[in-house]
Amino acid sequence: MIDYAKIELHAGNGGDGAVAFRREKYEPTGGPAGGDGGDGANIYIKATNSLSTLEEYRYKSKYRAENGENGMGKKRFGKKGEDLVLYVPVGTIIREVSSNTIIRDLKKNGEQFLIAKGGRGGKGNVHYKTSTRQAPRFAQKGRKGQSIEVSLELKILADVGLVGLPNVGKSTLISVITKAKPKIANYHFTTLDPNLGVVKVDKERSFIVADIPGLIEGANEGQGLGHDFLKHIQRCKILIHLVDISGLEGRNPIEDFKLINKELKLYDEKLSDKYQIVALNKSDLDYNENYKKFENEFKDKYKIFKISAATTQGIKELIDEVTKVLSKIDEEKYTLDEEINESYLQNYYNKNMENGNLEFYKEEGIYVCTGYRIDKLLERVNLDDYDSRMYFEKKLRDMGVFDKFLEMGIEEGDSVAIGDIVFDYYE
């Protein structure tokens, strides 16, 4: 099972605005006719129940969305890039790699969010005509799309987790109570992937069971396969702890039970608080001695059932108890989720992308400043209003825009382009 992947995402760049003029018959004066560039495509991540692994991201690690087309003459706008949607299984956690910060936890089928925004298309020269500039030879460049490196981590969403040492009968049990068909054999580590199955209680009630493989001593430190799968237990509402009570392999059921609980606690202290139902498997092979010892040791703390996955002895009683507990369980208390930083993604872009960095350049004799802050400023001002224009000028000075232009050699009377407006510079 592929439950981890690291990918780079690059949203599409915006297309450049066009510099073009009308050359039509009966239009002797012509005029600017350069269209806007198209916006770059966005990248979305969407959760779906139709996937169960991150296999698709195992061999491809870089994804780039379409760029917007450049603007064209006759006021024709460039085409917007087609958005890219990446599908992941429900239960996938998204982390920003450099900080290891969780930015999303996709727990619902169809849940989707914007992970990288495409760059805005540049304005064509049709926007820059003024009463004193009838033939502007300037157009705005398209913005770069946002980029981010993230890791995808799948944590299975199940109501019940089956835990226990290898070869205690978990795969047999899940095959009996659900329609799952795991590989079953009489040797350790038959199960290399978590198996999921649905238990149909009646027409209205059902629950999902996950067989969590690979738990041995030292699992919390990466021994065996346990470290890869212990994380899936965090999602489960309750646990069925399966123990081989027969002792036919020479093991001590009580010590086995304590060993698994120790590994759970060492991996995550909160796992030891999860509600556990104990199922003593292979009870048809036990002559009550092991059962009596186990019951005396743990009956005050756990609900204990004698079952046989092979003969289905005690299975109905176990399912009835699980159904009853699930109907009363506090999901928020027992479904352990890591903390999500909802605002991190926006702050990341504010710091690393356009918002924190204004872009300055000179083109066709015009001094240009663009950037996210400029866009936001223009949204807040009304340049037909005197007080608003004064506010606009003050904010540009506070941003250091004019200081930067002076460093670039601007002189009085030179043209300045801020966003999609052009004006002459005077101190």
Side-chain angles (χ1 to χ4, degrees):
M1 176 182 181
I2 307 302
D3 58 7
Y4 180 84
K6 187 185 294 184
I7 56 176
E8 291 181 25
L9 305 175
H10 303 277
N13 298 328
D16 295 338
V19 175
F21 298 91
R22 297 171 65 182
R23 294 287 187 268
E24 300 172 25
K25 192 175 182 181
Y26 308 120
E27 292 286 347
T29 58
D36 298 350
D39 292 340
N42 301 319
I43 300 180
Y44 295 87
I45 297 182
K46 187 173 184 176
T48 175
N49 282 332
S50 64
L51 294 176
S52 58
T53 77
L54 296 169
E55 177 76 31
E56 148 176 13
Y57 305 100
R58 184 177 187 179
Y59 301 108
K60 184 177 180 181
S61 60
K62 294 183 180 180
Y63 293 83
R64 187 176 295 276
E66 284 186 351
N67 295 331
E69 291 183 351
N70 294 334
M72 295 163 281
K74 297 184 179 181
K75 301 181 182 179
R76 290 176 296 174
F77 287 15
K79 180 183 176 183
K80 180 185 182 300
E82 185 175 350
D83 290 341
L84 176 62
V85 181
L86 302 178
Y87 292 90
V88 298
V90 172
T92 298
I93 292 173
I94 317 295
R95 295 179 188 264
E96 193 277 315
V97 168
S98 62
S99 66
N100 201 36
T101 299
I102 297 177
I103 53 180
R104 211 69 172 195
D105 187 358
L106 301 176
K107 296 193 289 185
K108 297 179 180 179
N109 184 46
E111 187 177 355
Q112 173 178 289
F113 81 106
L114 176 64
I115 184 70
K117 188 175 182 180
R120 196 178 73 174
K123 300 291 186 181
N125 71 333
V126 69
H127 294 278
Y128 298 106
K129 179 180 177 181
T130 66
S131 58
T132 58
R133 186 180 295 101
Q134 295 293 311
R137 295 186 174 277
F138 167 77
Q140 194 178 46
K141 294 180 181 179
R143 301 280 182 78
K144 289 184 177 181
Q146 296 174 337
S147 297
I148 189 171
E149 185 178 19
V150 298
S151 65
L152 309 175
E153 181 181 349
L154 174 61
K155 287 189 177 182
I156 286 175
L157 289 169
D159 299 301
V160 180
L162 286 181
V163 299
L165 286 168
N167 208 30
V168 296
K170 297 193 301 296
S171 295
T172 302
L173 178 60
I174 199 172
S175 70
V176 169
I177 62 177
T178 76
K179 292 184 179 181
K181 296 180 180 180
K183 183 180 179 182
I184 300 171
N186 190 31
Y187 52 87
H188 290 190
F189 295 114
T190 306
T191 305
L192 300 180
D193 298 321
N195 290 306
L196 288 176
V198 179
V199 177
K200 296 286 187 180
V201 180
D202 51 39
K203 290 183 178 180
E204 298 181 353
R205 295 179 299 172
S206 65
F207 57 86
I208 299 174
V209 179
D211 169 11
I212 310 297
L215 299 187
I216 63 172
E217 186 172 9
N220 73 92
E221 298 175 343
Q223 298 295 320
L225 303 174
H227 199 268
D228 292 332
F229 299 120
L230 276 166
K231 61 188 174 186
H232 296 300
I233 301 173
Q234 294 175 311
R235 297 284 203 187
C236 300
K237 298 175 186 177
I238 67 173
L239 302 178
I240 295 178
H241 194 146
L242 206 62
V243 178
D244 180 354
I245 198 63
S246 71
L248 291 181
E249 293 192 8
R251 299 190 62 89
N252 184 320
I254 292 176
E255 295 305 315
D256 288 350
F257 183 76
K258 290 180 177 179
L259 186 153
I260 293 298
N261 280 330
K262 176 184 176 182
E263 294 302 321
L264 295 179
K265 187 173 183 179
L266 288 173
Y267 181 78
D268 186 340
E269 184 78 27
K270 295 179 181 178
L271 285 181
S272 60
D273 295 329
K274 274 191 180 290
Y275 189 93
Q276 281 191 38
I277 297 173
V278 181
L280 303 180
N281 194 26
K282 305 181 184 180
S283 293
D284 56 317
L285 303 178
D286 174 51
Y287 297 97
N288 288 324
E289 183 178 342
N290 286 340
Y291 171 72
K292 288 178 180 178
K293 290 180 180 179
F294 195 99
E295 185 183 41
N296 290 335
E297 181 84 16
F298 300 111
K299 64 181 180 180
D300 294 335
K301 186 174 181 181
Y302 300 99
K303 190 83 171 183
I304 301 172
F305 290 83
K306 293 175 67 175
I307 71 165
S308 171
T311 67
T312 72
Q313 170 193 328
I315 297 297
K316 183 182 183 303
E317 292 77 9
L318 175 64
I319 297 303
D320 288 344
E321 178 66 16
V322 170
T323 305
K324 184 175 72 174
V325 172
L326 286 175
S327 68
K328 300 177 180 179
I329 202 95
D330 183 346
E331 182 174 344
E332 294 299 321
K333 178 179 179 181
Y334 288 100
T335 304
L336 307 181
D337 288 327
E338 299 179 70
E339 185 175 350
I340 302 169
N341 190 334
E342 292 283 0
S343 63
Y344 179 84
L345 192 61
Q346 186 58 50
N347 292 335
Y348 171 85
Y349 288 131
N350 290 349
K351 180 180 179 180
N352 297 287
M353 304 299 293
E354 298 171 316
N355 193 30
N357 301 294
L358 298 177
E359 184 179 0
F360 296 87
Y361 57 94
K362 184 178 180 182
E363 185 172 311
E364 297 291 338
I366 298 178
Y367 290 82
V368 184
C369 176
T370 63
Y372 183 84
R373 284 188 293 169
I374 293 295
D375 294 342
K376 290 300 180 183
L377 176 60
L378 287 170
E379 289 176 2
R380 298 196 302 269
V381 298
N382 175 12
L383 296 179
D384 293 329
D385 176 76
Y386 175 79
D387 289 338
S388 190
R389 288 199 303 272
M390 293 301 99
Y391 170 80
F392 177 63
E393 181 177 336
K394 179 180 183 302
K395 295 302 292 184
L396 291 180
R397 293 189 183 280
D398 290 344
M399 291 181 191
V401 171
F402 296 125
D403 290 339
K404 181 64 177 180
F405 284 151
L406 287 170
E407 291 179 15
M408 295 170 64
I410 195 171
E411 297 180 355
E412 290 201 3
D414 286 344
S415 295
V416 172
I418 303 291
D420 57 1
I421 64 170
V422 178
F423 56 88
D424 295 331
Y425 172 77
Y426 290 99
E427 280 288 343

